Amino acid sequence: MDVATASDGRFGPDPMSAFDDWDAFREWAADVSDPGVTLLTSELGPPVPRPPQVFAIGVNYREHADEAGYPPDSLPVTFTKFPSSLTGPDATVTLPDGNVDWEVELVVAISRGGHSIPREEAWNHIAGLTVGQDLSERLAQLEGTRPQFSLAKSHPGFSPTGPWLVSVDEFADPADLAISCSLDGEVLQDSRTSRMIYDVPELVARLSAVVSLLPGDLIFTGTPSGIGNARTPKRFLQPGEVLTSTIEGVGEIITRFA
Ligand code: ZN
């Protein structure tokens, strides 16, 4: 539905306004009845268009840590994807020079922020889950004397998310969801979110032990194995290809390349 109209302007039209008082928004949404609007996925933008902070986690699945050649660290490997790289669930991304790779990821949106959030309370600080791609240009990421994760993963359109944010109560088990991606129909990654090294509550606890989390923040939680840079021969995205990324209980996003 059009939340701004249905709530008489109490929430929206800016989607970010829902995160300022998520509990009140949920309470209102539970009771509202509205004829709704016709929804075209192709017209949707990212469900969280302007997150104050975007955290992204590297090597957070055991098999991916193996293929990438990194042993797990005692702290989650954390970088940012600059918010200007966000795009919606049916987007065309112009490939920059270099080797652009895919990374399907579960993306967490924070509702109530906080510092030092205990693991046991972490799910109560989460507005919902969505599908994301952590598109990555591997030459810039890995070629220098120091890694350049944040820059190499923030070209325009390098952070597709969507198609919507699904609140945690909608999942039978939000900690164990099938996650996969395919390129022109060929399955490239296929795993379950229960295989994370640092699971979602642990990420919220460990990130918030250092940084204050804010309403509307996003956490890209890491990718399973099957990236192009770890294949023999290596494989990267080409103009004209279509990448489909899927998470059980959320849906799929489609990213086209030009
Ligand atoms: Zn990633």
Side-chain angles (χ1 to χ4, degrees), residues 57 79 103 105 134 136 153 222-223:
I57 307 301
F79 54 94
E103 293 192 358
E105 306 200 3
D134 175 18
S136 306
K153 292 163 173 273
T223 199

Side-chain angles (χ1 to χ4, degrees), residues 60-64 104 176-181 187-196 223-226 246-248:
N60 197 26
Y61 287 75
R62 189 79 51 186
E63 296 84 353
H64 176 57
V104 64
D176 182 27
L177 306 171
I179 178 170
S180 63
C181 82
V187 177
L188 300 170
Q189 296 184 280
D190 187 11
S191 187
R192 302 196 68 84
T193 60
S194 52
R195 302 184 69 80
M196 288 180 188
T223 199
S225 60
T246 309
I247 294 179
E248 178 184 5

Side-chain angles (χ1 to χ4, degrees), residues 140-257:
Q141 181 187 338
L142 301 168
E143 239 176 30
T145 54
R146 302 194 180 37
Q148 287 282 11
F149 281 42
S150 299
L151 275 182
K153 292 163 173 273
S154 293
H155 287 267
F158 266 32
S159 306
T161 55
W164 27 69
L165 200 60
V166 178
S167 56
V168 178
D169 59 297
E170 298 282 342
F171 298 92
D173 181 359
D176 182 27
L177 306 171
I179 178 170
S180 63
C181 82
S182 62
L183 191 60
D184 291 339
E186 179 187 348
V187 177
L188 300 170
Q189 296 184 280
D190 187 11
S191 187
R192 302 196 68 84
T193 60
S194 52
R195 302 184 69 80
M196 288 180 188
I197 296 168
Y198 296 104
D199 65 10
V200 169
E202 200 62 30
L203 289 175
V204 169
R206 292 192 183 228
L207 291 174
S208 72
V210 181
V211 182
S212 292
L213 300 185
L214 302 171
D217 279 354
L218 293 181
I219 306 171
F220 283 70
T221 58
T223 199
S225 60
I227 61 165
N229 199 48
R231 290 172 182 260
T232 311
K234 292 178 191 289
R235 180 171 169 188
F236 301 106
L237 295 163
Q238 304 299 325
E241 289 181 330
V242 179
L243 184 66
T244 304
S245 312
T246 309
I247 294 179
E248 178 184 5
V250 181
E252 66 177 34
I253 62 172
I254 295 170
T255 314
R256 308 163 203 278
F257 296 94

